[in-house]
Amino acid sequence: MSRPIRPRNVLRVGPVQVATYYDRRGREKHSAVCTAPRCGFSTEYDSRAAAEIAARTHRCTAR
């Protein structure tokens, strides 16, 4: 059984949350996930800066 993902260093930019976590291979990853209903935006990056840029430039299409 795999370990659960434990996000740390969570930042919220509007409806988008940026978090840092370790993947199953022990590498540090960064994700940007929109929490708006019916949006479905989520991405995974190797650098924190890229995840924060994606969060700042995201525009929800579901309104």
Short mmCIF file of all heavy atoms in Angstrom, two decimals:
data_model
loop_
_atom_site.label_atom_id
_atom_site.label_comp_id
_atom_site.label_asym_id
_atom_site.label_seq_id
_atom_site.Cartn_x
_atom_site.Cartn_y
_atom_site.Cartn_z
N MET A 1 0.83 -1.17 0.00
CA MET A 1 0.00 0.00 0.00
C MET A 1 0.88 1.24 0.00
O MET A 1 1.88 1.30 0.70
CB MET A 1 -0.89 -0.02 1.23
CG MET A 1 -1.81 1.16 1.29
SD MET A 1 -2.66 1.24 2.86
CE MET A 1 -4.29 0.83 2.34
N SER A 2 0.52 2.23 -0.78
CA SER A 2 1.32 3.44 -0.88
C SER A 2 1.00 4.41 0.26
O SER A 2 -0.09 4.38 0.84
CB SER A 2 1.09 4.11 -2.22
OG SER A 2 -0.25 4.53 -2.31
N ARG A 3 1.95 5.27 0.52
CA ARG A 3 1.77 6.28 1.55
C ARG A 3 0.86 7.38 1.04
O ARG A 3 0.89 7.74 -0.13
CB ARG A 3 3.10 6.91 1.92
CG ARG A 3 4.02 5.96 2.61
CD ARG A 3 5.32 6.61 3.03
NE ARG A 3 5.44 8.01 2.75
CZ ARG A 3 6.56 8.66 2.63
NH1 ARG A 3 7.69 8.02 2.73
NH2 ARG A 3 6.59 9.94 2.39
N PRO A 4 0.05 7.97 1.91
CA PRO A 4 -0.79 9.09 1.48
C PRO A 4 0.06 10.34 1.22
O PRO A 4 1.12 10.52 1.83
CB PRO A 4 -1.75 9.31 2.65
CG PRO A 4 -1.03 8.74 3.82
CD PRO A 4 -0.17 7.63 3.30
N ILE A 5 -0.39 11.17 0.33
CA ILE A 5 0.30 12.42 0.04
C ILE A 5 -0.03 13.42 1.15
O ILE A 5 -1.19 13.66 1.45
CB ILE A 5 -0.13 12.98 -1.33
CG1 ILE A 5 0.33 12.04 -2.42
CG2 ILE A 5 0.42 14.37 -1.54
CD1 ILE A 5 -0.15 12.42 -3.80
N ARG A 6 1.01 13.97 1.75
CA ARG A 6 0.83 14.95 2.82
C ARG A 6 1.32 16.31 2.34
O ARG A 6 2.53 16.56 2.33
CB ARG A 6 1.59 14.53 4.06
CG ARG A 6 1.02 13.29 4.66
CD ARG A 6 1.69 12.96 5.95
NE ARG A 6 1.09 11.74 6.48
CZ ARG A 6 1.68 10.97 7.33
NH1 ARG A 6 2.87 11.27 7.78
NH2 ARG A 6 1.09 9.88 7.76
N PRO A 7 0.41 17.18 1.93
CA PRO A 7 0.84 18.49 1.44
C PRO A 7 1.39 19.35 2.58
O PRO A 7 0.95 19.27 3.72
CB PRO A 7 -0.42 19.09 0.85
CG PRO A 7 -1.53 18.38 1.49
CD PRO A 7 -1.03 17.03 1.87
N ARG A 8 2.37 20.15 2.23
CA ARG A 8 2.93 21.10 3.20
C ARG A 8 3.18 22.41 2.46
O ARG A 8 3.19 22.44 1.24
CB ARG A 8 4.21 20.55 3.82
CG ARG A 8 5.29 20.26 2.82
CD ARG A 8 6.50 19.59 3.50
NE ARG A 8 7.45 19.17 2.50
CZ ARG A 8 8.38 19.95 1.97
NH1 ARG A 8 8.50 21.20 2.36
NH2 ARG A 8 9.20 19.49 1.06
N ASN A 9 3.37 23.45 3.20
CA ASN A 9 3.64 24.76 2.62
C ASN A 9 2.54 25.14 1.62
O ASN A 9 2.80 25.40 0.45
CB ASN A 9 5.02 24.77 1.96
CG ASN A 9 5.53 26.17 1.73
OD1 ASN A 9 4.91 27.13 2.17
ND2 ASN A 9 6.62 26.29 1.03
N VAL A 10 1.30 25.17 2.10
CA VAL A 10 0.14 25.45 1.25
C VAL A 10 -0.07 26.95 1.16
O VAL A 10 -0.04 27.67 2.17
CB VAL A 10 -1.12 24.76 1.81
CG1 VAL A 10 -2.33 25.09 0.97
CG2 VAL A 10 -0.91 23.27 1.89
N LEU A 11 -0.27 27.43 -0.07
CA LEU A 11 -0.51 28.84 -0.35
C LEU A 11 -1.79 28.94 -1.16
O LEU A 11 -2.02 28.13 -2.06
CB LEU A 11 0.66 29.42 -1.16
CG LEU A 11 0.48 30.80 -1.77
CD1 LEU A 11 0.52 31.86 -0.68
CD2 LEU A 11 1.55 31.05 -2.79
N ARG A 12 -2.62 29.92 -0.85
CA ARG A 12 -3.87 30.09 -1.59
C ARG A 12 -3.81 31.39 -2.39
O ARG A 12 -3.55 32.45 -1.84
CB ARG A 12 -5.04 30.11 -0.62
CG ARG A 12 -6.38 30.10 -1.31
CD ARG A 12 -7.46 29.78 -0.29
NE ARG A 12 -8.73 29.70 -0.96
CZ ARG A 12 -9.30 28.57 -1.34
NH1 ARG A 12 -8.71 27.44 -1.11
NH2 ARG A 12 -10.46 28.58 -1.93
N VAL A 13 -4.06 31.28 -3.69
CA VAL A 13 -4.09 32.44 -4.59
C VAL A 13 -5.46 32.45 -5.24
O VAL A 13 -5.71 31.71 -6.20
CB VAL A 13 -2.98 32.34 -5.68
CG1 VAL A 13 -3.06 33.52 -6.61
CG2 VAL A 13 -1.62 32.23 -5.05
N GLY A 14 -6.39 33.24 -4.70
CA GLY A 14 -7.77 33.21 -5.18
C GLY A 14 -8.36 31.84 -4.90
O GLY A 14 -8.24 31.32 -3.79
N PRO A 15 -8.98 31.21 -5.90
CA PRO A 15 -9.53 29.88 -5.68
C PRO A 15 -8.50 28.75 -5.84
O PRO A 15 -8.81 27.59 -5.65
CB PRO A 15 -10.60 29.76 -6.77
CG PRO A 15 -10.07 30.59 -7.88
CD PRO A 15 -9.37 31.75 -7.21
N VAL A 16 -7.26 29.09 -6.19
CA VAL A 16 -6.23 28.08 -6.47
C VAL A 16 -5.33 27.88 -5.25
O VAL A 16 -4.88 28.84 -4.65
CB VAL A 16 -5.39 28.48 -7.69
CG1 VAL A 16 -4.35 27.43 -8.00
CG2 VAL A 16 -6.27 28.73 -8.90
N GLN A 17 -5.10 26.62 -4.91
CA GLN A 17 -4.17 26.28 -3.83
C GLN A 17 -2.90 25.72 -4.42
O GLN A 17 -2.95 24.88 -5.32
CB GLN A 17 -4.78 25.25 -2.89
CG GLN A 17 -5.84 25.80 -1.98
CD GLN A 17 -6.29 24.77 -0.98
OE1 GLN A 17 -6.07 23.58 -1.13
NE2 GLN A 17 -6.95 25.25 0.06
N VAL A 18 -1.77 26.19 -3.91
CA VAL A 18 -0.46 25.68 -4.31
C VAL A 18 0.13 24.96 -3.10
O VAL A 18 0.14 25.50 -2.00
CB VAL A 18 0.48 26.83 -4.75
CG1 VAL A 18 1.84 26.31 -5.12
CG2 VAL A 18 -0.13 27.59 -5.91
N ALA A 19 0.59 23.73 -3.31
CA ALA A 19 1.13 22.94 -2.21
C ALA A 19 2.38 22.20 -2.65
O ALA A 19 2.56 21.88 -3.82
CB ALA A 19 0.10 21.93 -1.72
N THR A 20 3.24 21.92 -1.68
CA THR A 20 4.46 21.15 -1.90
C THR A 20 4.28 19.80 -1.22
O THR A 20 3.75 19.72 -0.12
CB THR A 20 5.67 21.88 -1.29
OG1 THR A 20 5.76 23.17 -1.89
CG2 THR A 20 6.95 21.12 -1.54
N TYR A 21 4.71 18.74 -1.89
CA TYR A 21 4.61 17.40 -1.33
C TYR A 21 5.69 16.52 -1.93
O TYR A 21 6.36 16.90 -2.88
CB TYR A 21 3.22 16.80 -1.59
CG TYR A 21 2.94 16.56 -3.05
CD1 TYR A 21 3.17 15.32 -3.63
CD2 TYR A 21 2.44 17.57 -3.86
CE1 TYR A 21 2.93 15.09 -4.97
CE2 TYR A 21 2.19 17.36 -5.20
CZ TYR A 21 2.43 16.12 -5.75
OH TYR A 21 2.20 15.91 -7.07
N TYR A 22 5.86 15.33 -1.36
CA TYR A 22 6.79 14.33 -1.89
C TYR A 22 5.98 13.27 -2.62
O TYR A 22 5.00 12.76 -2.09
CB TYR A 22 7.61 13.69 -0.77
CG TYR A 22 8.62 14.64 -0.18
CD1 TYR A 22 8.40 15.21 1.06
CD2 TYR A 22 9.76 14.97 -0.87
CE1 TYR A 22 9.32 16.09 1.61
CE2 TYR A 22 10.69 15.85 -0.33
CZ TYR A 22 10.45 16.41 0.90
OH TYR A 22 11.36 17.29 1.43
N ASP A 23 6.40 12.92 -3.85
CA ASP A 23 5.69 11.89 -4.59
C ASP A 23 6.10 10.51 -4.08
O ASP A 23 6.85 10.38 -3.12
CB ASP A 23 5.90 12.03 -6.10
CG ASP A 23 7.33 11.75 -6.54
OD1 ASP A 23 8.20 11.50 -5.69
OD2 ASP A 23 7.57 11.80 -7.76
N ARG A 24 5.62 9.46 -4.73
CA ARG A 24 5.87 8.10 -4.27
C ARG A 24 7.34 7.70 -4.35
O ARG A 24 7.77 6.78 -3.68
CB ARG A 24 5.04 7.12 -5.08
CG ARG A 24 3.57 7.30 -4.81
CD ARG A 24 2.76 6.34 -5.59
NE ARG A 24 1.34 6.56 -5.30
CZ ARG A 24 0.38 5.99 -5.94
NH1 ARG A 24 0.63 5.15 -6.92
NH2 ARG A 24 -0.86 6.23 -5.62
N ARG A 25 8.11 8.37 -5.18
CA ARG A 25 9.53 8.07 -5.31
C ARG A 25 10.40 8.95 -4.42
O ARG A 25 11.63 8.90 -4.50
CB ARG A 25 9.96 8.23 -6.76
CG ARG A 25 9.29 7.23 -7.67
CD ARG A 25 9.80 7.35 -9.05
NE ARG A 25 9.19 6.33 -9.89
CZ ARG A 25 9.46 6.16 -11.15
NH1 ARG A 25 10.33 6.96 -11.75
NH2 ARG A 25 8.87 5.23 -11.84
N GLY A 26 9.78 9.79 -3.61
CA GLY A 26 10.53 10.62 -2.68
C GLY A 26 11.00 11.94 -3.25
O GLY A 26 11.75 12.66 -2.60
N ARG A 27 10.56 12.28 -4.46
CA ARG A 27 10.94 13.55 -5.07
C ARG A 27 9.98 14.64 -4.64
O ARG A 27 8.79 14.40 -4.47
CB ARG A 27 10.92 13.43 -6.59
CG ARG A 27 11.93 12.44 -7.12
CD ARG A 27 11.81 12.30 -8.59
NE ARG A 27 10.48 11.74 -8.90
CZ ARG A 27 10.14 11.17 -10.04
NH1 ARG A 27 11.01 11.12 -11.02
NH2 ARG A 27 8.94 10.68 -10.23
N GLU A 28 10.50 15.85 -4.48
CA GLU A 28 9.66 16.97 -4.11
C GLU A 28 8.91 17.48 -5.33
O GLU A 28 9.50 17.74 -6.37
CB GLU A 28 10.52 18.08 -3.51
CG GLU A 28 9.70 19.20 -2.92
CD GLU A 28 10.58 20.23 -2.24
OE1 GLU A 28 11.38 20.87 -2.94
OE2 GLU A 28 10.44 20.39 -1.02
N LYS A 29 7.60 17.61 -5.22
CA LYS A 29 6.74 18.09 -6.30
C LYS A 29 5.90 19.25 -5.78
O LYS A 29 5.70 19.41 -4.58
CB LYS A 29 5.81 16.98 -6.80
CG LYS A 29 6.51 15.83 -7.43
CD LYS A 29 7.04 16.23 -8.78
CE LYS A 29 7.61 15.03 -9.51
NZ LYS A 29 7.99 15.33 -10.84
N HIS A 30 5.38 20.03 -6.72
CA HIS A 30 4.54 21.18 -6.39
C HIS A 30 3.30 21.11 -7.26
O HIS A 30 3.39 20.83 -8.46
CB HIS A 30 5.30 22.47 -6.65
CG HIS A 30 6.65 22.47 -6.02
ND1 HIS A 30 6.87 22.79 -4.70
CD2 HIS A 30 7.87 22.15 -6.51
CE1 HIS A 30 8.15 22.69 -4.43
NE2 HIS A 30 8.78 22.29 -5.52
N SER A 31 2.15 21.36 -6.68
CA SER A 31 0.92 21.28 -7.45
C SER A 31 0.10 22.55 -7.26
O SER A 31 0.15 23.19 -6.21
CB SER A 31 0.09 20.06 -7.04
OG SER A 31 -0.32 20.19 -5.71
N ALA A 32 -0.66 22.88 -8.30
CA ALA A 32 -1.61 23.98 -8.28
C ALA A 32 -2.98 23.39 -8.59
O ALA A 32 -3.15 22.75 -9.64
CB ALA A 32 -1.24 25.05 -9.29
N VAL A 33 -3.95 23.57 -7.69
CA VAL A 33 -5.27 22.97 -7.83
C VAL A 33 -6.33 24.02 -7.58
O VAL A 33 -6.30 24.71 -6.56
CB VAL A 33 -5.45 21.81 -6.82
CG1 VAL A 33 -6.82 21.19 -6.95
CG2 VAL A 33 -4.37 20.77 -7.01
N CYS A 34 -7.28 24.14 -8.52
CA CYS A 34 -8.37 25.09 -8.35
C CYS A 34 -9.48 24.42 -7.54
O CYS A 34 -9.87 23.28 -7.82
CB CYS A 34 -8.91 25.53 -9.71
SG CYS A 34 -10.16 26.82 -9.56
N THR A 35 -9.99 25.14 -6.54
CA THR A 35 -11.01 24.58 -5.66
C THR A 35 -12.41 25.06 -6.02
O THR A 35 -13.36 24.75 -5.30
CB THR A 35 -10.71 24.96 -4.19
OG1 THR A 35 -10.67 26.38 -4.09
CG2 THR A 35 -9.40 24.36 -3.74
N ALA A 36 -12.56 25.78 -7.12
CA ALA A 36 -13.88 26.24 -7.55
C ALA A 36 -14.71 25.05 -8.05
O ALA A 36 -14.17 24.12 -8.65
CB ALA A 36 -13.75 27.27 -8.66
N PRO A 37 -16.01 25.08 -7.82
CA PRO A 37 -16.85 23.96 -8.29
C PRO A 37 -16.82 23.85 -9.81
O PRO A 37 -16.87 24.84 -10.53
CB PRO A 37 -18.26 24.33 -7.81
CG PRO A 37 -18.10 25.47 -6.89
CD PRO A 37 -16.76 26.07 -7.10
N ARG A 38 -16.75 22.64 -10.32
CA ARG A 38 -16.78 22.30 -11.74
C ARG A 38 -15.64 22.88 -12.55
O ARG A 38 -15.73 23.00 -13.76
CB ARG A 38 -18.11 22.73 -12.36
CG ARG A 38 -19.32 22.05 -11.77
CD ARG A 38 -20.60 22.45 -12.45
NE ARG A 38 -20.76 23.88 -12.64
CZ ARG A 38 -21.35 24.70 -11.77
NH1 ARG A 38 -21.82 24.23 -10.64
NH2 ARG A 38 -21.47 25.97 -12.02
N CYS A 39 -14.55 23.25 -11.94
CA CYS A 39 -13.41 23.80 -12.69
C CYS A 39 -12.50 22.69 -13.20
O CYS A 39 -12.25 22.60 -14.39
CB CYS A 39 -12.61 24.78 -11.84
SG CYS A 39 -11.21 25.48 -12.74
N GLY A 40 -11.98 21.86 -12.32
CA GLY A 40 -11.16 20.73 -12.74
C GLY A 40 -9.72 21.05 -13.07
O GLY A 40 -9.00 20.21 -13.59
N PHE A 41 -9.22 22.25 -12.76
CA PHE A 41 -7.84 22.63 -13.04
C PHE A 41 -6.91 22.06 -11.97
O PHE A 41 -7.09 22.31 -10.78
CB PHE A 41 -7.71 24.15 -13.08
CG PHE A 41 -6.30 24.65 -13.14
CD1 PHE A 41 -5.59 24.60 -14.32
CD2 PHE A 41 -5.69 25.17 -12.02
CE1 PHE A 41 -4.29 25.07 -14.39
CE2 PHE A 41 -4.38 25.64 -12.07
CZ PHE A 41 -3.69 25.59 -13.26
N SER A 42 -5.94 21.27 -12.39
CA SER A 42 -4.89 20.80 -11.48
C SER A 42 -3.66 20.47 -12.31
O SER A 42 -3.76 19.85 -13.37
CB SER A 42 -5.34 19.58 -10.68
OG SER A 42 -5.51 18.49 -11.54
N THR A 43 -2.51 20.93 -11.83
CA THR A 43 -1.25 20.67 -12.53
C THR A 43 -0.17 20.34 -11.52
O THR A 43 -0.27 20.70 -10.34
CB THR A 43 -0.80 21.89 -13.36
OG1 THR A 43 -0.70 23.02 -12.50
CG2 THR A 43 -1.77 22.20 -14.46
N GLU A 44 0.86 19.67 -11.99
CA GLU A 44 1.99 19.27 -11.15
C GLU A 44 3.27 19.78 -11.78
O GLU A 44 3.46 19.66 -12.99
CB GLU A 44 2.02 17.75 -11.06
CG GLU A 44 3.06 17.21 -10.15
CD GLU A 44 2.99 15.71 -10.09
OE1 GLU A 44 2.06 15.20 -9.46
OE2 GLU A 44 3.86 15.07 -10.70
N TYR A 45 4.14 20.37 -10.96
CA TYR A 45 5.38 20.97 -11.45
C TYR A 45 6.56 20.50 -10.61
O TYR A 45 6.39 20.06 -9.48
CB TYR A 45 5.30 22.50 -11.38
CG TYR A 45 4.24 23.09 -12.28
CD1 TYR A 45 2.99 23.42 -11.79
CD2 TYR A 45 4.51 23.31 -13.61
CE1 TYR A 45 2.03 23.96 -12.61
CE2 TYR A 45 3.55 23.85 -14.45
CZ TYR A 45 2.31 24.17 -13.94
OH TYR A 45 1.35 24.70 -14.76
N ASP A 46 7.75 20.66 -11.18
CA ASP A 46 8.98 20.36 -10.45
C ASP A 46 9.46 21.54 -9.63
O ASP A 46 10.21 21.37 -8.68
CB ASP A 46 10.08 19.93 -11.42
CG ASP A 46 9.79 18.56 -12.03
OD1 ASP A 46 9.13 17.75 -11.36
OD2 ASP A 46 10.24 18.33 -13.16
N SER A 47 9.05 22.77 -9.99
CA SER A 47 9.50 23.95 -9.26
C SER A 47 8.31 24.69 -8.65
O SER A 47 7.22 24.72 -9.21
CB SER A 47 10.28 24.90 -10.17
OG SER A 47 9.42 25.52 -11.08
N ARG A 48 8.55 25.26 -7.50
CA ARG A 48 7.50 26.01 -6.79
C ARG A 48 7.11 27.26 -7.56
O ARG A 48 5.94 27.64 -7.62
CB ARG A 48 8.03 26.38 -5.39
CG ARG A 48 7.11 27.21 -4.55
CD ARG A 48 6.01 26.38 -3.99
NE ARG A 48 5.12 27.22 -3.19
CZ ARG A 48 4.30 26.76 -2.30
NH1 ARG A 48 4.25 25.47 -2.07
NH2 ARG A 48 3.52 27.55 -1.64
N ALA A 49 8.08 27.92 -8.20
CA ALA A 49 7.81 29.14 -8.95
C ALA A 49 6.84 28.88 -10.11
O ALA A 49 5.93 29.67 -10.35
CB ALA A 49 9.10 29.74 -9.48
N ALA A 50 7.01 27.77 -10.79
CA ALA A 50 6.12 27.44 -11.91
C ALA A 50 4.70 27.19 -11.41
O ALA A 50 3.73 27.62 -12.06
CB ALA A 50 6.64 26.22 -12.64
N ALA A 51 4.55 26.54 -10.29
CA ALA A 51 3.22 26.30 -9.73
C ALA A 51 2.55 27.60 -9.31
O ALA A 51 1.34 27.78 -9.50
CB ALA A 51 3.31 25.34 -8.55
N GLU A 52 3.31 28.52 -8.73
CA GLU A 52 2.74 29.80 -8.32
C GLU A 52 2.36 30.66 -9.52
O GLU A 52 1.34 31.35 -9.50
CB GLU A 52 3.71 30.54 -7.42
CG GLU A 52 3.83 29.90 -6.06
CD GLU A 52 4.73 30.67 -5.11
OE1 GLU A 52 5.09 31.83 -5.41
OE2 GLU A 52 5.07 30.10 -4.06
N ILE A 53 3.14 30.62 -10.58
CA ILE A 53 2.78 31.35 -11.81
C ILE A 53 1.50 30.78 -12.40
O ILE A 53 0.62 31.53 -12.84
CB ILE A 53 3.94 31.33 -12.82
CG1 ILE A 53 5.07 32.21 -12.32
CG2 ILE A 53 3.47 31.78 -14.20
CD1 ILE A 53 6.32 32.12 -13.15
N ALA A 54 1.37 29.47 -12.43
CA ALA A 54 0.16 28.85 -12.94
C ALA A 54 -1.05 29.25 -12.11
O ALA A 54 -2.14 29.48 -12.64
CB ALA A 54 0.31 27.34 -12.96
N ALA A 55 -0.89 29.35 -10.81
CA ALA A 55 -1.99 29.75 -9.93
C ALA A 55 -2.38 31.20 -10.16
O ALA A 55 -3.57 31.53 -10.17
CB ALA A 55 -1.59 29.54 -8.47
N ARG A 56 -1.41 32.06 -10.36
CA ARG A 56 -1.71 33.48 -10.56
C ARG A 56 -2.35 33.75 -11.93
O ARG A 56 -3.13 34.68 -12.07
CB ARG A 56 -0.45 34.30 -10.41
CG ARG A 56 -0.01 34.47 -8.97
CD ARG A 56 1.30 35.25 -8.89
NE ARG A 56 1.72 35.62 -7.56
CZ ARG A 56 2.00 34.82 -6.55
NH1 ARG A 56 1.85 33.54 -6.70
NH2 ARG A 56 2.42 35.28 -5.40
N THR A 57 -2.02 32.97 -12.93
CA THR A 57 -2.54 33.21 -14.28
C THR A 57 -3.77 32.38 -14.62
O THR A 57 -4.33 32.54 -15.70
CB THR A 57 -1.46 32.94 -15.34
OG1 THR A 57 -1.04 31.58 -15.22
CG2 THR A 57 -0.28 33.87 -15.16
N HIS A 58 -4.21 31.50 -13.71
CA HIS A 58 -5.37 30.65 -13.98
C HIS A 58 -6.65 31.46 -14.01
O HIS A 58 -6.89 32.31 -13.15
CB HIS A 58 -5.49 29.55 -12.92
CG HIS A 58 -6.75 28.78 -13.00
ND1 HIS A 58 -7.04 27.95 -14.05
CD2 HIS A 58 -7.83 28.73 -12.18
CE1 HIS A 58 -8.23 27.41 -13.85
NE2 HIS A 58 -8.72 27.87 -12.72
N ARG A 59 -7.50 31.18 -15.00
CA ARG A 59 -8.83 31.79 -15.09
C ARG A 59 -9.83 30.66 -15.19
O ARG A 59 -9.76 29.83 -16.09
CB ARG A 59 -8.94 32.68 -16.33
CG ARG A 59 -7.97 33.81 -16.36
CD ARG A 59 -8.35 34.86 -15.30
NE ARG A 59 -7.35 35.92 -15.26
CZ ARG A 59 -6.54 36.13 -14.24
NH1 ARG A 59 -6.59 35.35 -13.19
NH2 ARG A 59 -5.68 37.11 -14.24
N CYS A 60 -10.77 30.64 -14.25
CA CYS A 60 -11.77 29.57 -14.24
C CYS A 60 -12.73 29.74 -15.41
O CYS A 60 -13.21 30.85 -15.66
CB CYS A 60 -12.58 29.60 -12.95
SG CYS A 60 -11.67 29.02 -11.53
N THR A 61 -13.00 28.64 -16.09
CA THR A 61 -13.98 28.67 -17.19
C THR A 61 -15.36 28.30 -16.69
O THR A 61 -16.35 28.62 -17.35
CB THR A 61 -13.55 27.68 -18.30
OG1 THR A 61 -13.41 26.39 -17.74
CG2 THR A 61 -12.25 28.11 -18.92
N ALA A 62 -15.47 27.64 -15.57
CA ALA A 62 -16.76 27.25 -15.01
C ALA A 62 -17.27 28.35 -14.10
O ALA A 62 -16.74 28.58 -13.04
CB ALA A 62 -16.63 25.95 -14.23
N ARG A 63 -18.31 29.00 -14.52
CA ARG A 63 -18.92 30.07 -13.70
C ARG A 63 -20.41 29.96 -13.74
O ARG A 63 -21.05 29.57 -14.59
CB ARG A 63 -18.50 31.43 -14.20
CG ARG A 63 -17.03 31.64 -13.93
CD ARG A 63 -16.76 33.03 -13.54
NE ARG A 63 -15.37 33.11 -13.17
CZ ARG A 63 -14.95 33.80 -12.18
NH1 ARG A 63 -15.77 34.47 -11.45
NH2 ARG A 63 -13.68 33.84 -11.89
#
